[in-house]
Amino acid sequence: DLGEVSSIAVSPDGNFLAVGSCQHPKSNVKVWHLKTGKLLHTLLGHQKPVNFVVISPSGLILASGSNKIKIWNLEKGDRICTLWHSTAVHAAAIGPDGTILASGSSDIKIRLWNPRTGQPLRTLIGHFGEVKSIVINPDGETLFSGSADKTIKIWHLGTGKLLHTLSGHLDEVKSLAISPNGETLFSGSADKTIKI
């Protein structure tokens, strides 16, 4: 029994499916091997609904988030580390080389971490509402964040500098996706629109 499914991620190589649950006390992450259909791991430890699961481009690391972020070895199912914001974490993304994890929270901050060690790298502050969505450009240079403040912000990952603010949604920006070539950004909002 999965409980209520809150998030799904597939590894880039197509080998693993991770599913986050949001029904406490069943809040967990289950990992399947897609080619065999075998359940590999049930990852426990979240006390709140699992808001997201993301898998690194290498397929070696899985991050799951609720009130905390837990980093897992995807193949073994072992927990590597636990990361904290001061409030609920809504979104995360792992950079293309697997050396940066970005997380967004109700505390209106975006935190950058080394997902292999849990070391904090930088905090990005610029939104005026909860950070609801995050995506990293495939080139690893820029990060896009969507917020309850109705904006999308574009950040330079290396320096943490805010490059641009995109406006136009009339409600919170709940989801972001970027094309594989990194040239087109898609945003979904509670205003019932998708913008490109």
Side-chain angles (χ1 to χ4, degrees):
D1 180 22
L2 290 173
E4 184 180 336
V5 173
S6 56
S7 50
I8 295 176
V10 176
S11 63
D13 61 10
N15 284 332
F16 301 105
L17 170 70
V19 177
S21 163
C22 67
Q23 287 186 325
H24 184 71
K26 296 178 183 176
S27 296
N28 59 45
V29 178
K30 292 186 181 290
V31 178
W32 281 272
H33 190 273
L34 277 175
K35 292 177 182 171
T36 65
K38 180 182 177 185
L39 177 63
L40 299 176
H41 311 295
T42 298
L43 309 176
L44 303 173
H46 285 291
Q47 302 302 314
K48 301 281 184 181
V50 178
N51 295 324
F52 65 83
V53 289
V54 293
I55 298 173
S56 67
S58 67
L60 299 176
I61 294 173
L62 174 115
S64 57
S66 57
N67 56 329
K68 300 172 185 173
I69 303 164
K70 297 192 181 294
I71 309 294
W72 312 86
N73 178 308
L74 187 58
E75 291 183 332
K76 296 180 181 177
D78 298 332
R79 189 177 334 162
I80 297 170
C81 58
T82 300
L83 313 174
W84 286 269
H85 278 263
S86 60
T87 56
V89 187
H90 299 292
I94 299 175
D97 65 0
T99 61
I100 291 181
L101 178 135
S103 58
S105 168
S106 294
D107 64 10
I108 74 173
K109 296 174 183 172
I110 298 159
R111 295 190 187 274
L112 304 181
W113 316 83
N114 181 325
R116 297 171 184 158
T117 64
Q119 177 185 1
L121 303 174
R122 179 175 279 125
T123 300
L124 309 179
I125 300 175
H127 281 294
F128 296 99
E130 297 180 6
V131 179
K132 295 289 191 172
S133 50
I134 289 180
V135 67
I136 295 176
N137 196 311
D139 66 9
E141 300 264 325
T142 48
L143 177 145
F144 303 85
S145 57
S147 170
D149 67 14
K150 307 173 191 174
T151 68
I152 299 163
K153 294 195 180 289
I154 305 172
W155 310 83
H156 187 274
L157 264 181
T159 63
K161 181 180 177 185
L162 177 61
L163 301 176
H164 301 288
T165 299
L166 306 178
S167 301
H169 279 295
L170 302 176
D171 207 334
E172 61 186 44
V173 181
K174 299 186 80 161
S175 58
L176 293 170
I178 195 160
S179 61
N181 64 9
E183 294 181 1
T184 308
L185 179 72
F186 304 85
S187 58
S189 169
D191 66 10
K192 303 179 183 177
T193 67
I194 297 168
K195 295 193 182 297
I196 301 171

